[in-house]
Amino acid sequence: MGCKSVMKTGFLCRQWGVLVVLLSLWLPQSFSQQTTSPPPQQKNKLKFRLAGYPRKHNEGRIEVFYNEEWGTICDDDFSTENAHVLCRHLGFISATGWTHSSKYGKGAGKIWLDNVQCSGSEKSIADCRSRGWGNSDCTHDEDAGVICKDERLPGFMESNVIEQVEERVEEIRLRPLGASAKKRLPITEGIVEVKYKGSWAQICDDGWTPKNSRVICGMFGFPQERKANKNFYKQIKKRAAKTKGKIIGSGDRLFTEKQQNKYRLHSVACTGNEVHLSVCPLQFYKANATRACEGGMPAVISCVPGPQFSLGNSQKKKTKSTFRVRLKGGAKIGEGRVEVLKDNEWGTVCDDRWNLQAASVVCRELGYGTAKEALTGARMGQGMGPIHMNEVQCSGQEKSIWNCQYKNITTNDCRHVEDASVKCNIPYMGYETLIRLRGGRNRHEGRMEVMTGVDGNGIEQWGLICGEGWGIKEAMVACRQLGLGFANNGLQETWYWDGSNVTEMVMSGVKCTGNEMSLSHCQHHGSSINCKNTDTRFAAGIICSETTSDLVLNAPLVQQTVYIEDRPLHMLYCAAEENCLSSSAAKANWPYGHRRLLRFSSQIHNIGLADFRPKAGRHSWVWHECHRHYHSMDIFTHYDILTVNGTKVAEGHKASFCLEDTECQEGVSKRYECANFGEQGITAGCWDLYRHDFDCQWIDITDIKPGNYIFQVVLNPNFEVAESDFTNNAMKCNCKYDGDRIWFHNCHICDAFSEEAEKQFEQYPGQNNQIS
């Protein structure tokens, strides 16, 4: 019996069969700007500049020119006060923040200052306390950066704006030459082109290496490169020369070459570890160059797609996962909180020194390209359980994050507010063009429409999705496919304005797991539409959101608080009225006798990025006079006792009679309190505690026999409220009952163990419990 399955700098676009990467903020590492503010008492003239990638004009790695040499500043003891002083050197009025661990890339040369401590009022960085010029025990992995407020000091004359130089690469595309290759997505092979003065130019392949290809493949979302068939492209070049650039091939029908090659780069020297071509050493052709790429041809690359994006890969095929790393809590494919598997238990990674190199190793390991962003501070939500890694340092060549250098977590090293996360480059698949939203009040909501094809005049044809059976999991897939974040609601009826005149139902019976990349990968009725209500009002709709909640139960607390109570029937009238006892209680000799109750505490954490709110508004909450409280959800939690083969032998349930913030983590304020008909919910970063002595916080086990069982709790079991992840909503424990006493072992969230450990849990034979 398997564990119950419950369930934001680049842009990619395709133009005329061409895959394009738009990364306007990426600049070569050598591009930086200088501003000078020399303190008069300093013998050596100091200069300051911002450098690195990716960044804006008011942020970057801070570099200082001292003793006729540029160098960096170590992040040890760095503070906002230091950043204030440095931003004023750069001509800004103040700092809004600072960065550590080489967020903008590693510098070169000296590390001029270390352990800098400013009060913030100093006129020069030289006036601050430090270890002295050139005295440092740091590496460039610890280079500090600053983020300055984009407001200039009055009268500051030096320019700190990124210079508009031509020697940079902003946009890159992969252009296939075959008509059939144009139609297949993802595009894995073609000529590499860079944007130059409003048109596209080629890169000379003279001296081109697989390391260059590796970097560019990573930018397009592919984990690795492979050798391209250059003979194919050489033949095209020869035929183009004979036909003055115009080619009409047979069979594969080659594109028409409308212009001669125009070369922009004649030398690229990547190491293979870079996350973007702009970071590699590049040499540009001069505008007056008369001979370009003599004897060569345009650089061609071929990439290997990851398993999820392989041509012909069926989304319905189930492949056994052998990864020791995974992403959780992300709205899109290829992004999320990084979790790693150690000793058969999943845990998180601390964000100390977390950078693009380490993030790219994770992305490639999972079958994606390089990392677009290496995020710190639990930007994809906090994890639960252990933190396995700290200060991860990768070169970029490692096959797995486990091959990188890292430190084990010691007491008080890290907390889950420091969980690392990533956003990976993924191949462009064009899924967002297959569906659309219409009639909504904003771009995040509306009625779902599916493209069914193109008519003879080239006009796209659209149809509706039947709302029967449509729910939050289907909405999760649709929101992901459209790039609109998380699902907030899946609507079975839509009252949106019909502005597109689409009235025909073309898809029905849609049933998704929630993990699919496209609705077409979900189960559905196919061409045989089966929909009882075909009126447009009953078409499926969605409401999407940039953030959402995520509920997780504190499994160790359940194990620590479980006990048995024999409770007299005369104390259980209210519980019976609210259906909190097993069915056999109705036949009991009321008010005489008792019921045996399995009691425990439930601490439910919201580790998501948005509050968890009941689906129903206050106007529809139901008042229960017996316990004098409101029910805001029909069922909030299921409690079950199962045999080892999965048969249910006892059950309980918890209606959301009081959903509120019991406690919150540091820095988070309570927002929800049930008293006086208050608002109900769980704030992100807070938890609700149902104590073991609350009514209905139990399972009636009067009728079960001694033996080994599985105890299961499922939160939000009917998926009434949206969450970022439903796979962590179930918790299980091994349970041994001898007729008088009960023991719980191995309590865990359902996605906390490896597959091997979960199998061992399911085969658990019981445990001898001796009371010493």
Side-chain angles (χ1 to χ4, degrees):
M1 179 193 61
C3 193
K4 182 172 181 178
S5 179
V6 292
M7 303 238 335
K8 295 177 177 173
T9 56
F11 301 91
L12 300 178
C13 65
R14 180 169 64 110
Q15 295 179 344
W16 304 105
V18 178
L19 191 61
V20 186
V21 172
L22 307 178
L23 288 155
S24 59
L25 293 182
W26 287 89
L27 293 178
Q29 195 167 351
S30 60
F31 297 160
S32 55
Q33 62 281 350
Q34 301 180 17
T35 60
T36 306
S37 179
Q41 74 275 23
Q42 183 68 33
K43 181 179 178 180
N44 290 286
K45 186 177 181 180
L46 296 180
K47 299 179 183 179
F48 299 89
R49 70 183 182 186
L50 294 173
Y53 60 91
R55 63 185 184 85
K56 299 177 183 177
H57 67 279
N58 58 327
E59 64 176 320
R61 180 178 63 250
I62 184 66
E63 296 190 349
V64 56
F65 188 74
Y66 174 83
N67 202 22
E68 303 302 315
E69 186 176 349
W70 284 103
T72 62
I73 299 177
C74 182
D75 60 15
D76 290 352
D77 292 332
F78 208 86
S79 66
T80 303
E81 288 72 22
N82 296 359
H84 284 319
V85 175
L86 290 164
C87 283
R88 287 198 295 270
H89 276 307
L90 292 162
F92 298 98
I93 63 170
S94 64
T96 61
W98 62 278
T99 66
H100 60 86
S101 306
S102 307
K103 177 182 176 179
Y104 299 101
K106 294 188 287 188
K110 297 277 191 180
I111 299 175
W112 278 126
L113 292 171
D114 189 7
N115 298 111
V116 181
Q117 298 178 55
C118 305
S119 68
S121 61
E122 292 85 354
K123 294 185 181 299
S124 170
I125 196 71
D127 297 334
C128 302
R129 294 170 54 191
S130 71
R131 298 179 60 161
W133 292 95
N135 186 8
S136 171
D137 60 358
C138 300
T139 68
H140 283 295
D141 288 315
E142 302 167 84
D143 285 342
V146 295
I147 305 165
C148 302
K149 186 174 182 180
D150 196 6
E151 186 175 340
R152 309 295 296 168
L153 284 171
F156 194 88
M157 301 301 295
E158 299 281 348
S159 172
N160 194 50
V161 179
I162 297 174
E163 298 174 6
Q164 298 299 316
V165 295
E166 293 185 357
E167 277 66 30
R168 63 181 181 182
V169 174
E170 288 187 355
E171 300 179 28
I172 305 172
R173 74 179 184 183
L174 189 58
R175 179 166 61 92
L177 292 190
S180 60
K182 164 192 172 182
K183 298 177 182 178
R184 290 195 303 263
L185 291 177
I187 295 172
T188 60
E189 181 174 311
I191 293 175
V192 183
E193 297 187 329
V194 297
K195 193 72 171 288
Y196 177 56
K197 291 185 177 182
S199 60
W200 293 94
Q202 292 75 46
I203 304 174
C204 182
D205 73 344
D206 187 23
W208 189 266
T209 69
K211 294 178 180 179
N212 299 337
S213 299
R214 172 180 166 84
V215 171
I216 296 176
C217 285
M219 292 168 57
F220 288 116
F222 303 112
Q224 57 186 347
E225 79 292 345
R226 59 188 167 199
K227 189 176 182 180
N229 181 10
K230 287 191 176 182
N231 290 330
F232 172 74
Y233 296 90
K234 287 178 181 178
Q235 292 175 3
I236 294 175
K237 181 183 177 183
K238 291 178 180 178
R239 295 170 65 183
K242 292 179 180 179
T243 59
K244 296 182 180 181
K246 295 184 179 180
I247 306 174
I248 300 178
S250 59
D252 196 28
R253 293 194 56 80
L254 303 173
F255 280 145
T256 300
E257 293 285 282
K258 295 183 179 180
Q259 60 182 23
Q260 295 292 331
N261 290 323
K262 179 173 64 176
Y263 291 97
R264 180 74 184 124
L265 292 168
H266 66 84
S267 178
V268 177
C270 300
T271 66
N273 301 326
E274 296 86 352
V275 296
H276 192 274
L277 182 65
S278 293
V279 188
C280 301
L282 306 174
Q283 290 186 22
F284 293 79
Y285 280 107
K286 300 300 180 183
N288 59 357
T290 55
R291 292 185 179 180
C293 201
E294 189 172 2
M297 59 177 286
V300 174
I301 67 166
S302 182
C303 306
V304 180
Q308 293 186 72
F309 305 98
S310 297
L311 295 174
N313 178 47
S314 172
Q315 295 292 323
K316 297 180 181 179
K317 292 180 180 178
K318 300 293 183 182
T319 56
K320 185 177 179 180
S321 173
T322 58
F323 294 124
R324 293 180 64 200
V325 60
R326 69 184 183 187
L327 302 181
K328 300 283 281 186
K332 301 176 183 177
I333 299 295
E335 68 178 38
R337 179 178 61 252
V338 179
E339 296 190 352
V340 292
L341 186 64
K342 183 179 181 181
D343 297 329
N344 285 322
E345 187 173 10
W346 289 99
T348 61
V349 176
C350 188
D351 63 11
D352 291 353
R353 295 199 178 189
W354 185 247
N355 59 22
L356 284 167
Q357 272 66 39
S360 291
V361 170
V362 169
C363 291
R364 289 186 189 271
E365 183 177 357
L366 291 172
Y368 308 121
T370 45
K372 289 189 291 188
E373 292 185 68
L375 303 172
T376 59
R379 288 272 299 279
M380 296 289 184
Q382 298 181 30
M384 292 280 282
I387 302 173
H388 286 322
M389 287 181 163
N390 189 18
E391 296 191 27
V392 179
Q393 297 182 71
C394 305
S395 68
Q397 288 288 350
E398 295 87 353
K399 296 293 184 183
S400 169
I401 189 175
W402 287 105
N403 300 133
C404 301
Q405 295 182 13
Y406 67 93
K407 291 184 179 180
N408 293 314
I409 298 296
T410 57
T411 306
N412 298 325
D413 266 353
C414 286
R415 298 177 299 159
H416 282 297
V417 292
E418 301 170 84
D419 284 343
S421 50
V422 300
K423 289 185 178 181
C424 305
N425 288 313
I426 64 169
Y428 177 74
M429 301 297 293
Y431 290 137
E432 77 283 359
T433 64
L434 305 178
I435 61 175
R436 69 184 185 186
L437 285 182
R438 285 294 182 269
R441 294 163 294 182
N442 56 60
R443 62 182 294 266
H444 285 88
E445 68 174 22
R447 187 183 66 181
M448 290 299 310
E449 295 184 4
V450 184
M451 188 171 72
T452 59
V454 180
D455 66 13
N457 298 319
I459 300 175
E460 294 175 346
Q461 303 296 300
W462 297 84
L464 304 177
I465 300 176
C466 180
E468 292 172 21
W470 183 267
I472 199 68
K473 290 185 179 182
E474 291 70 37
M476 289 172 69
V477 176
C479 289
R480 178 183 301 120
Q481 186 173 352
L482 290 166
L484 296 178
F486 299 99
N488 190 309
N489 211 336
L491 307 172
Q492 294 188 0
E493 292 185 42
T494 51
W495 296 88
Y496 296 117
W497 180 260
D498 180 14
S500 59
N501 295 320
V502 175
T503 59
E504 183 185 2
M505 295 285 182
V506 297
M507 181 180 278
S508 64
V510 181
K511 186 176 181 58
C512 306
T513 66
N515 297 318
E516 296 88 350
M517 288 188 285
S518 168
L519 287 175
S520 61
H521 300 149
C522 301
Q523 296 180 18
H524 56 90
H525 290 155
S527 57
S528 58
I529 307 303
N530 183 4
C531 187
K532 295 178 182 178
N533 297 307
T534 57
D535 186 88
T536 56
R537 179 164 67 89
F538 297 99
I542 60 173
I543 301 175
C544 305
S545 174
E546 292 183 1
T547 58
T548 191
S549 60
D550 188 13
L551 297 187
V552 180
L553 191 67
N554 185 339
L557 183 65
V558 173
Q559 186 165 322
Q560 294 162 12
T561 58
V562 66
Y563 65 97
I564 289 177
E565 177 190 7
D566 289 333
R567 193 167 182 83
L569 280 171
H570 68 84
M571 301 176 66
L572 292 171
Y573 278 105
C574 278
E577 182 181 317
E578 295 197 2
N579 198 30
C580 293
L581 301 175
S582 64
S583 58
S584 64
K587 302 175 184 178
N589 186 24
W590 292 78
Y592 308 105
H594 68 272
R595 303 299 293 181
R596 176 158 288 185
L597 307 176
L598 175 66
R599 312 200 69 157
F600 54 94
S601 294
S602 292
Q603 191 180 79
I604 299 147
H605 291 248
N606 181 2
I607 64 172
L609 299 176
D611 298 352
F612 182 94
R613 299 296 310 277
K615 181 178 181 179
R618 296 172 65 175
H619 63 281
S620 60
W621 294 355
V622 179
W623 173 257
H624 282 248
E625 182 64 29
C626 188
H627 282 132
R628 301 192 64 79
H629 57 244
Y630 281 95
H631 283 193
S632 58
M633 295 175 67
D634 291 335
I635 296 293
F636 178 58
T637 314
H638 279 167
Y639 306 143
D640 298 312
I641 298 288
L642 312 171
T643 64
V644 290
N645 65 3
T647 303
K648 187 185 298 185
V649 294
E651 65 180 12
H653 74 276
K654 174 66 67 180
S656 178
F657 70 89
C658 177
L659 199 60
E660 65 180 1
D661 297 325
T662 306
E663 291 184 65
C664 301
Q665 65 187 35
E666 184 180 351
V668 180
S669 300
K670 297 179 183 179
R671 299 183 60 184
Y672 304 104
E673 187 175 7
C674 298
N676 301 317
F677 195 34
E679 290 289 351
Q680 293 194 26
I682 307 177
T683 303
C686 299
W687 54 90
D688 189 4
L689 176 63
Y690 289 102
R691 286 170 48 91
H692 57 84
D693 53 358
F694 287 0
D695 259 11
C696 295
Q697 184 58 32
W698 63 56
I699 297 182
D700 184 348
I701 61 170
T702 305
D703 304 321
I704 74 168
K705 299 176 181 179
N708 296 319
Y709 298 96
I710 290 176
F711 171 72
Q712 177 177 275
V713 177
V714 183
L715 307 175
N716 192 16
N718 298 331
F719 313 111
E720 287 189 45
V721 180
E723 297 186 50
S724 62
D725 185 2
F726 288 114
T727 63
N728 58 13
N729 279 30
M731 185 223 70
K732 287 191 174 183
C733 304
N734 290 127
C735 173
K736 179 180 175 64
Y737 177 52
D738 67 1
D740 296 307
R741 298 167 298 178
I742 200 160
W743 296 269
F744 276 14
H745 304 285
N746 302 324
C747 292
H748 67 285
I749 303 302
C750 265
D751 66 346
F753 287 176
S754 67
E755 292 182 12
E756 180 182 351
E758 193 62 39
K759 288 179 180 178
Q760 292 175 355
F761 169 86
E762 293 164 3
Q763 297 167 0
Y764 181 73
Q767 181 169 328
N768 293 322
N769 294 276
Q770 302 294 333
I771 300 178
S772 57

